[in-house]
Amino acid sequence: MDITNLKYAAQMFRHLNGGHFICATSMDDEKRNWYEALEAGWEDYAKVWLATTGMDLARGDGYYFFRKRVSGDRKSFETMASDYKEYLSILNLLFQLDQSFGVGHLITRTWILSRLDMCPPAKEICRNLFNSNTTDEWATELLEILEKKMEIVCSYLDNERNEIRYLVTQAFDYYRTFVESIQFISKEDEQAIEKTPESSLFDVIDNQ
């Protein structure tokens, strides 16, 4: 299939190739159009992009992304381990704020501040996770990570309330799946992987 026959292909490729998601609940009209185009023929897009660029289009429940390639060397393992630790801390913080946190939730800065005031465990996570020292600064850093880095939320202005609201997108499920798929059963398992030859690191992880 000719890539020129695929609607929005160039725009979507640039977006996905930047490490971004295309989600069903995006607040951006253009990105919702992209999502609908992928829903209508994602296998065609996937085949063309894989053949022409080597990029692997992955499909989740309500979202699309380019699957990351890992080389299986020590550096790749350490990068993945670092990502895992950060994502785990963020998800743990979110669930401390609200155990029912998930796709479709609407949050605000005010909500984060009020929940932090009522949740000492969440405050302890923030102290270890962020460089700042106040709840106001923690809210700022958290929202920055959620929207700009992880793309778990997308923001919009609620004119009636005159405040910025943040909608939790399907990208949240990607991170939850990522964290759940890389779990060490015990400290001994983690130490065993550290002693594993670099060439087989990811075989060990896949067999967990």
Side-chain angles (χ1 to χ4, degrees), residues 2 24 32 36 43 54 60 67 90 143 166 194:
D2 187 347
R32 283 201 299 272
E36 291 173 3
E43 291 181 343
R67 197 186 311 275
I90 292 295
L143 288 171
Y166 299 84
E194 285 299 317

Side-chain angles (χ1 to χ4, degrees), residues 20-21 23 86-95 97 101-102 105-109 111-112 129-130 138-155 165-172 175:
H20 305 295
F21 296 91
C23 297
E86 180 180 12
Y87 301 157
L88 180 61
S89 294
I90 292 295
L91 294 185
N92 188 20
L93 173 56
L94 294 175
F95 284 127
L97 297 178
F101 192 94
H105 275 53
L106 283 169
I107 65 175
T108 65
R109 181 186 182 84
W111 176 83
I112 293 174
L129 183 62
F130 302 130
W138 293 339
T140 297
E141 288 196 56
L142 177 58
L143 288 171
E144 182 74 13
I145 291 173
L146 294 181
E147 183 173 23
K148 304 300 183 183
K149 184 174 183 179
M150 297 176 71
E151 298 183 20
I152 284 178
V153 301
C154 55
S155 62
R165 307 190 84 184
Y166 299 84
L167 174 67
V168 181
T169 72
Q170 285 82 2
F172 173 76
Y175 291 103

Side-chain angles (χ1 to χ4, degrees), residues 1-195:
M1 178 176 289
D2 187 347
I3 195 169
T4 59
N5 294 327
L6 298 176
K7 197 173 183 181
Y8 311 122
Q11 301 96 310
M12 287 192 292
F13 179 82
R14 286 193 293 269
H15 180 78
L16 292 166
N17 198 39
H20 305 295
F21 296 91
I22 295 177
C23 297
T25 53
S26 173
M27 300 301 296
D28 184 283
D29 290 340
E30 182 179 35
K31 292 184 178 64
R32 283 201 299 272
N33 290 337
W34 294 353
Y35 179 82
E36 291 173 3
L38 288 174
E39 281 289 277
W42 82 277
E43 291 181 343
D44 292 330
Y45 288 93
K47 289 177 182 177
V48 168
W49 282 330
L50 185 61
T52 58
T53 69
M55 301 302 294
D56 185 12
L57 179 67
R59 183 186 196 186
D61 185 10
Y63 63 95
Y64 292 89
F65 65 101
F66 276 155
R67 197 186 311 275
K68 292 182 179 180
R69 299 290 181 106
V70 291
S71 63
D73 60 16
R74 177 67 61 177
K75 184 175 181 180
S76 293
F77 174 73
E78 290 176 350
T79 298
M80 185 173 69
S82 177
D83 288 343
Y84 167 78
K85 290 177 181 177
E86 180 180 12
Y87 301 157
L88 180 61
S89 294
I90 292 295
L91 294 185
N92 188 20
L93 173 56
L94 294 175
F95 284 127
Q96 288 289 344
L97 297 178
D98 183 352
Q99 292 184 0
S100 66
F101 192 94
V103 176
H105 275 53
L106 283 169
I107 65 175
T108 65
R109 181 186 182 84
T110 301
W111 176 83
I112 293 174
L113 292 171
S114 66
R115 299 298 294 182
L116 282 173
D117 284 340
M118 296 185 294
C119 186
K123 287 184 177 181
E124 186 61 30
I125 294 172
C126 289
R127 291 188 186 97
N128 295 325
L129 183 62
F130 302 130
N131 296 320
S132 51
N133 299 309
T134 69
T135 55
D136 192 64
E137 291 172 320
W138 293 339
T140 297
E141 288 196 56
L142 177 58
L143 288 171
E144 182 74 13
I145 291 173
L146 294 181
E147 183 173 23
K148 304 300 183 183
K149 184 174 183 179
M150 297 176 71
E151 298 183 20
I152 284 178
V153 301
C154 55
S155 62
Y156 69 96
L157 175 63
D158 186 325
N159 291 311
E160 291 185 4
R161 295 178 173 84
N162 192 31
E163 68 177 348
I164 302 296
R165 307 190 84 184
Y166 299 84
L167 174 67
V168 181
T169 72
Q170 285 82 2
F172 173 76
D173 284 340
Y174 164 81
Y175 291 103
R176 186 168 61 179
T177 300
F178 178 88
V179 166
E180 290 173 350
S181 67
I182 307 176
Q183 293 187 19
F184 298 119
I185 298 175
S186 67
K187 188 65 178 178
E188 288 72 24
D189 294 325
E190 189 171 357
Q191 292 171 345
I193 287 179
E194 285 299 317
K195 297 176 182 178

